[in-house]
Amino acid sequence: MLRLFTVIVLMFGLLAPAMAQEDTGNPRAETGGAQTLDDIMRRQAEQKVDDEFRRSETGDPEAAAPITAPLGTRGGQSISDLWRALRYDTADVSTQSRGPAATTLIQDGGMWWLKFREGPLLIYGAALLGGTLLLLALFYLIRGRIRIKGEKTGRTITRFSGVERFGHWLLASSFLILGVTGLISLFGRKVLIPAFGHEAFSMLAIGSKWIHNNVSWAFIVALVIIFVFWVAHNLPNRTDLVWLAKGGGIIGSGHPPAEKFNAGQKMIFWSVIILGASISASGLSLLFPFEFNMFGATFAKLNDWGVTGLIGSEPLPYPLSPQEEMQYAQLWHAIVSLILTAIILAHIYIGSIGMEGAFDAMGSGEVEEQWAREHHSLWVEEVQEAEVHQSKEA
């Protein structure tokens, strides 16, 4: 009889784990509610993992023992419960600081940003700038400098006034300073720390940040100046289509007619205005992260309009914490800045070694008449007609 009872007990003991494994109602029954092997494998494959089982395991203060009972002073949360609540920003945190992000002690959603910033952003950013310089060098070797074909007249035409040149050089100089200091901040850890050490980079990084933040205001002011002075001359028209069809005289022979700004210069202008405004907006968001948020409200609108569904994507994250706002703003600021830098490199090339006589337009403001006729013939006609009209009135 004793042997029979022992056998029955052993059978139930062996069947109990199997019965628990067959419980499909709770996929974490085997682990006592913790993560499963499937969770671990999905996380290693960088796939989305449902972590609701952790978010909800933050303890229950109402379940605490009475204060007079043993362990009654320990509350209804274990140390693990408390850390999970801190991680998922559900803990009841008290602080003397009143900033919007003061109670967020662990920002759990930033690892994707860190990986992207340290990986693809640096790799593709360096490839974009390096590739642009390489293409410009190859173009110079193949095409050479674009020379003035006709005989120089010795006469000049005023192309830009002093105020226009001031706005241009304020924009150019501030952009170059912002570009250098921005690249130091973006690539410094990977490039400068191994070369010069942490202490030297620390001084350089602090100085670069101060310069970057303050020179940014000059860039914004200059952006407004050039927009006011040149927007009327940069509106697209049919002449631009002819200019583009003939390659602007850069590709092939002959220079198509153009007004004060040709189609290529108009594309540069609108790139600077649109991308520069976007860079300025994201920069303001970084300078004032709690007062000027761009992405949370934008993501909410796009989700409401169903834009993400049209492209087969999941809804964009909303609402965003102040830290997440800064992460998106930093990436946008860097990506758009890198694109605009590549465009400006091409602009600098054409305005310096790429084309004879081009630098004079922003250097002295006076250009050789023959250069003006070859590159901006319609504008020359307008200037001369205006001079004749003024002389008749006088």
Side-chain angles (χ1 to χ4, degrees):
M1 186 69 178
L2 180 61
R3 291 181 179 179
L4 179 61
F5 178 76
T6 303
V7 171
I8 293 173
V9 170
L10 288 174
M11 288 178 62
F12 276 100
L14 293 173
L15 287 174
M19 293 171 65
Q21 292 179 10
E22 292 175 0
D23 181 10
T24 58
N26 182 7
R28 298 183 187 4
E30 305 173 37
T31 60
Q35 66 178 343
T36 64
L37 178 60
D38 181 63
D39 295 332
I40 297 173
M41 299 298 290
R42 291 178 64 85
R43 186 174 291 108
Q44 290 178 348
E46 297 186 355
Q47 298 177 357
K48 187 175 181 179
V49 178
D50 182 10
D51 58 0
E52 182 60 31
F53 70 98
R54 287 184 173 182
R55 289 179 179 271
S56 59
E57 291 295 325
T58 56
D60 182 8
E62 300 298 329
I67 193 68
T68 56
L71 303 180
T73 60
R74 301 194 61 170
Q77 288 182 305
S78 67
I79 297 298
S80 298
D81 294 336
L82 177 59
W83 277 108
R84 278 192 292 269
L86 290 172
R87 174 181 178 182
Y88 295 113
D89 201 21
T90 58
D92 184 14
V93 179
S94 299
T95 175
Q96 293 180 342
S97 175
R98 293 297 178 262
T103 58
T104 303
L105 302 185
I106 298 178
Q107 205 269 304
D108 187 65
M111 291 308 299
W112 70 269
W113 165 80
L114 184 62
K115 290 180 179 179
F116 186 86
R117 188 191 183 283
E118 293 182 344
L121 181 60
L122 298 187
I123 294 171
Y124 292 118
L128 174 63
L129 299 184
T132 300
L133 293 174
L134 179 60
L135 289 175
L136 292 174
L138 290 174
F139 183 80
Y140 181 78
L141 293 175
I142 296 172
R143 179 65 171 84
R145 195 178 196 194
I146 301 173
R147 300 286 182 178
I148 299 175
K149 293 184 177 181
E151 184 177 352
K152 296 180 182 179
T153 64
R155 298 186 299 270
T156 61
I157 299 178
T158 301
R159 179 146 175 82
F160 295 115
S161 66
V163 178
E164 290 176 299
R165 299 201 310 278
F166 169 78
H168 171 272
W169 287 117
L170 180 63
L171 185 71
S173 58
S174 60
F175 181 80
L176 290 175
I177 294 172
L178 292 172
V180 171
T181 53
L183 290 175
I184 289 173
S185 299
L186 187 61
F187 290 93
R189 289 182 177 274
K190 291 289 186 179
V191 179
L192 299 181
I193 288 180
F196 302 104
H198 287 81
E199 292 185 4
F201 174 71
S202 176
M203 295 179 60
L204 183 61
I206 293 172
S208 296
K209 181 179 182 295
W210 186 89
I211 293 172
H212 195 91
N213 291 347
N214 289 279
V215 173
S216 62
W217 301 108
F219 176 80
I220 296 173
V221 170
L223 202 64
V224 175
I225 292 175
I226 68 163
F227 178 80
V228 171
F229 274 94
W230 293 341
V231 64
H233 298 288
N234 281 278
L235 300 176
N237 53 44
R238 294 182 179 180
T239 305
D240 300 326
L241 298 177
V242 177
W243 191 93
L244 291 171
K246 294 185 177 181
I250 298 177
I251 302 173
S253 58
H255 296 286
E259 299 173 339
K260 184 169 184 176
F261 293 101
N262 58 42
Q265 292 169 325
K266 289 180 180 180
M267 288 190 290
I268 295 290
F269 173 83
W270 287 111
S271 296
V272 170
I273 294 299
I274 295 173
L275 299 183
S278 182
I279 292 169
S280 300
S282 57
L284 290 173
S285 180
L286 291 170
L287 285 173
F288 308 102
F290 307 139
E291 290 81 18
F292 186 67
N293 296 327
M294 295 174 52
F295 291 90
T298 303
F299 289 172
K301 290 293 184 183
L302 293 176
N303 290 337
D304 292 340
W305 295 340
V307 174
T308 54
L310 294 176
I311 59 177
S313 177
E314 295 183 359
L316 296 168
Y318 178 81
L320 299 178
S321 68
Q323 293 89 343
E324 290 172 319
E325 280 282 353
M326 293 187 71
Q327 289 161 5
Y328 281 106
Q330 186 274 329
L331 293 182
W332 184 266
H333 192 76
I335 292 171
V336 179
S337 297
L338 288 168
I339 294 172
L340 184 57
T341 300
I343 295 172
I344 294 302
L345 288 175
H347 175 63
I348 293 173
Y349 165 79
I350 291 295
S352 55
I353 63 173
M355 179 181 291
E356 181 185 6
F359 182 79
D360 295 334
M362 280 301 169
S364 64
E366 302 289 328
V367 294
E368 163 63 40
E369 183 178 319
Q370 181 59 29
W371 178 90
R373 289 186 179 278
E374 291 182 5
H375 296 285
H376 301 275
S377 58
L378 299 178
W379 170 70
V380 174
E381 293 175 3
E382 291 178 4
V383 172
Q384 292 180 342
E385 288 177 2
E387 291 177 350
V388 171
H389 182 70
Q390 288 177 358
S391 62
K392 287 181 178 181
E393 290 183 347

